[in-house]
Amino acid sequence: LGASGASEQDLRTRAGDTEFLASVLDFLMMDDAWVISFCDSAAIPYDQLMQARMALPGGEQVNWT
C-alpha cells in the first residue's frame, strides 16, 4: 500500500469503484514478480489479472510503454 499511494481506508471505501480497481490492477501488473506472487497466493492463473483489467474501464486501451 505504501508504494501505491493508496491507504487501507481507500481500499475499504473504494472497493466497488471500477476505476479505482483498474488503477490497483495497473499498479500490480507493473512488476511480473508482483503478479506471480499474487496469483500464486490466490491460486489463480497468471493471465487472469489481465483479463480482469480488460473488463474494467480503460482496459481496452493498449499501452506500449
Side-chain angles (χ1 to χ4, degrees):
L1 285 176
S4 72
S7 69
E8 190 174 328
Q9 185 61 34
D10 290 332
L11 291 176
R12 285 191 180 108
T13 60
R14 299 186 68 196
D17 178 351
T18 56
E19 290 181 5
F20 178 74
L21 295 175
S23 68
V24 169
L25 285 175
D26 285 342
F27 182 79
L28 178 62
M29 291 188 302
M30 286 183 357
D31 188 322
D32 289 344
W34 296 344
V35 171
I36 292 167
S37 178
F38 173 77
C39 289
D40 287 351
S41 70
I44 61 172
Y46 300 134
D47 66 338
Q48 202 152 19
L49 288 183
M50 180 56 79
Q51 291 174 17
R53 178 61 188 98
M54 290 171 58
L56 293 168
E60 69 284 349
Q61 296 174 354
V62 177
N63 183 353
W64 298 104
T65 58

